[in-house]
């Protein structure tokens, strides 16, 4: 897999749910309020971040006692920034595609096309039960998500849109106004066979849990080969929990403290819930299929990407993920405002230096 020549993009998780990004009693200087998040978004765009990703959660799981809604929260962040793109998480079921298409088209107009969506397929059965939503088996959730994405794209790009799906129907529907360019990008989250096949057919971006460059390369090769057959292009975003400190020892000590102070009941309850959600995914490749207790302390396997060390080590590992096929690195932090700034000032410039040196070598070899 040869790395893209485009600069790798950086995103951060919007902490719009309480409790931070790790299920641990370690101190996390991160807020879930709008004031904290507005300032964070401004810090991120001033320090080289391209995207922010919001989360959708209707009820507490793994902690996360308070949860702000993703689309309205994303809009507020877009209104507080000028260049950052914000990806609003959307869950088919609670959302139907007609409402989602209309909401996002309006936000696209209000923000010069800076809004994107992350279509998530859901893992939390208790949440669906709590809000009276029908729970579908794993692969059925993806069949619905794929129809959802096809409907979104159809509504955004066609007049007299007609669609006959198993989950959604549209009859001669013309959305006005349609989104202005750039069209909203469609991301998706999940790594199972069903998720990969959906990405290879319809999504602009495939988000996956944290992993080593070797494992990411396997996923990327798999998806890109299938996408090619479908004459589709899909880009890849990889999750990582970054702990960047002046010395490697300091960074490793922070990781050890996160694990040592993990909340075992909450981690085990989360592990039980997500493994249960993947049961109808027969191949056992989905997110969390191979996660250990330690992995689950960061709820998207963010430690596995190993962005834990000095700025130089972390920059080199970002580039290794890029070489494995990652187009975007999605980052979580312990103390978001402080660490987004530190990452932007100390890691991103080193990544750009390595990328420029590689580009110069590639040109010289041509
Ligand atoms: C980057 C990323 C973001 C996600 N965001 C959410 C979210 O906000 N809400 C949610 O319910 N699930 C979210 N998910 C979970 C996925 O939608 C999916 O249920 C999960 O990854 C399991 O999918 P799999 O069985 O295909 O691997 C996210 C997943 C990833 C990788």
């Amino acid at each position: 897999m040869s790395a893209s020549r485009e600069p790798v993009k950086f995103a951060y998780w919007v902490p719009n749910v309480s409790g931070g990004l790790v299920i641990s009693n370690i101190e996390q200087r991160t807020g879930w309020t709008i004031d904290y998040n507005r300032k964070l978004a401004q810090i991120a765009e001033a320090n080289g971040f391209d995207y922010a990703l919001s989360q959708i959660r209707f009820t507490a799981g793994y902690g996360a006692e308070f949860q702000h809604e993703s689309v309205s929260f994303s809009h507020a962040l877009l209104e507080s920034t000028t260049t950052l793109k914000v990806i609003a998480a959307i869950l088919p079921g609670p959302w139907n595609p007609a409402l989602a298409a209309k909401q996002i088209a309006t936000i696209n107009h209000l923000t010069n096309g800076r809004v994107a969506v992350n279509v998530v397929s859901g893992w939390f059965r208790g949440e669906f039960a709590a809000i009276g939503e029908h729970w579908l088996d794993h692969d059925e959730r993806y069949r619905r998500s794929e129809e959802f994405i096809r409907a979104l794209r159809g509504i955004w790009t066609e007049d007299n849109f007609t669609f006959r799906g198993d989950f959604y129907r549209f009859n001669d529907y013309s959305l006005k106004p349609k989104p202005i360019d750039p069209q909203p990008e469609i991301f998706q989250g999940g790594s199972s066979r069903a998720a990969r096949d959906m990405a290879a057919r319809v999504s602009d971006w495939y988000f996956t849990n944290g992993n080593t460059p070797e494992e990411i390369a396997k996923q990327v090769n798999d998806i890109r080969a299938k996408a090619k057959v479908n004459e589709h292009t899909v880009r890849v975003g990889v999750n990582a929990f970054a702990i960047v400190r002046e010395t490697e020892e300091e960074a490793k000590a922070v990781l050890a403290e996160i694990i040592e102070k993990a909340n075992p009941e909450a981690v085990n309850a989360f592990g039980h819930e997500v493994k249960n959600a993947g049961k109808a995914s027969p191949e056992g490749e989905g997110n969390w299929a191979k996660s250990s207790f330690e992995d689950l302390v960061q709820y998207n396997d963010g430690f596995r990407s190993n962005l834990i060390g000095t700025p130089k080590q972390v920059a080199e590992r970002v580039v290794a993920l890029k070489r494995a096929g990652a187009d975007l690195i999605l980052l979580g932090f312990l103390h978001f405002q402080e660490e987004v700034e530190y990452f932007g000032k100390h890691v991103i410039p080193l990544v750009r230096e390595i990328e420029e040196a590689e580009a110069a070598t590639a040109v010289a070899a041509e």
Side-chain angles (χ1 to χ4, degrees):
M1 172 60 52
S2 64
S4 161
R5 286 210 192 162
E6 269 186 44
V8 67
K9 297 190 178 345
F10 292 97
Y12 72 90
W13 285 92
V14 174
N16 58 313
V17 309
S18 65
L21 267 278
V22 289
I23 312 172
S24 170
N25 296 325
I26 190 171
E27 182 191 17
Q28 299 189 61
R29 291 190 293 278
T30 289
W32 58 280
T33 63
I34 188 59
D35 289 346
Y36 182 91
N37 271 286
R38 279 206 174 100
K39 184 162 174 214
L40 173 60
Q42 287 160 356
I43 292 171
E45 76 173 3
N47 284 284
F49 279 74
D50 306 281
Y51 292 92
L53 171 71
S54 67
Q55 309 166 55
I56 183 61
R57 182 81 304 119
F58 284 86
T59 181
Y62 57 76
E65 185 181 2
F66 301 99
Q67 322 96 29
H68 278 307
E69 187 276 320
S70 49
V71 174
S72 44
F73 208 80
S74 297
H75 183 213
L77 298 184
L78 286 161
E79 290 293 341
S80 312
T81 50
T82 54
T83 58
L84 190 71
K85 294 182 197 142
V86 183
I87 311 163
I90 288 189
L91 183 60
W95 268 273
N96 71 33
L99 174 61
K102 192 94 184 146
Q103 266 183 318
I104 299 298
T106 294
I107 298 176
N108 156 280
H109 278 257
L110 298 176
T111 62
N112 271 326
R114 287 189 291 126
V115 67
V117 292
N118 185 27
V119 175
V120 299
S121 294
W123 54 268
F124 191 6
R125 190 173 189 151
E127 173 182 72
F128 274 56
I131 61 171
E133 272 294 329
H134 188 57
W135 177 251
L136 299 173
D137 278 350
H138 184 274
D139 287 10
E140 281 295 281
R141 297 201 293 277
Y142 278 98
R143 229 160 56 75
R144 175 168 68 181
S145 294
E146 182 163 342
E147 282 192 11
F148 192 98
I149 293 173
R150 287 186 190 278
L152 276 188
R153 236 191 255 292
I155 296 168
W156 282 337
T157 56
E158 292 173 32
D159 275 333
N160 308 106
F161 177 64
T162 294
F163 185 80
R164 297 266 174 275
D166 290 336
F167 299 92
Y168 305 114
R169 299 275 165 125
F170 287 86
N171 298 299
D172 226 7
Y173 176 53
S174 298
L175 174 78
K176 291 186 182 175
K178 296 203 170 18
I180 54 167
D181 285 336
Q183 290 290 306
E185 293 176 293
I186 301 178
F187 290 70
Q188 67 160 84
S191 308
S192 55
R193 181 74 269 149
R196 294 180 196 190
D197 289 350
M198 181 171 92
R201 284 193 289 265
V202 293
S203 307
D204 296 318
W205 286 89
Y206 167 87
F207 263 139
T208 190
N209 274 6
N211 222 322
T212 59
E214 295 71 34
E215 291 299 318
I216 294 299
K218 283 189 206 158
Q219 290 183 38
V220 172
N221 292 337
D222 175 29
I223 293 165
R224 296 231 162 107
K226 285 209 161 176
K228 199 168 172 200
V229 174
N230 299 333
E231 296 182 355
H232 180 70
T233 308
V234 56
R235 294 201 272 178
V236 175
V238 176
N239 181 51
F241 191 84
I243 308 174
V244 192
R245 299 292 184 270
E246 273 174 32
T247 65
E248 187 179 10
E249 292 66 39
E250 273 176 86
K252 285 192 166 158
V254 173
L255 175 62
E257 190 186 343
I258 293 173
I259 304 293
E260 190 201 325
K261 294 188 175 158
N263 177 342
E265 289 92 63
V267 174
N268 287 327
F270 172 66
H272 174 76
E273 197 74 50
V274 293
K275 290 197 181 185
N276 197 31
K279 270 212 176 113
S281 162
E283 81 298 329
E285 279 179 352
N287 282 341
W288 309 299
K290 298 177 185 120
S291 309
S292 66
F293 176 89
E294 292 194 3
D295 293 329
L296 290 168
V297 174
Q298 200 297 301
Y299 49 78
N300 283 96
D301 281 358
F303 306 138
R304 280 196 175 200
S305 304
N306 195 22
L307 299 192
I308 298 166
T310 65
K312 185 163 179 289
Q313 287 174 318
V314 170
E316 283 164 358
R317 289 174 196 162
V318 166
V319 175
L321 287 167
K322 180 183 177 185
R323 284 196 201 106
D327 301 287
L328 177 153
I329 309 292
L330 169 64
L331 294 161
F333 301 93
L334 214 47
H335 314 300
F336 264 82
Q337 288 180 354
E338 296 152 53
E339 296 190 54
V340 159
E341 182 166 5
Y342 187 86
F343 195 96
K345 289 204 176 356
H346 298 277
V347 180
I348 296 179
L350 294 181
V351 172
R352 299 301 177 225
E353 271 176 31
I354 304 174
E355 287 178 322
E356 276 161 30
E358 288 194 349
T361 314
V363 169
E366 272 170 11

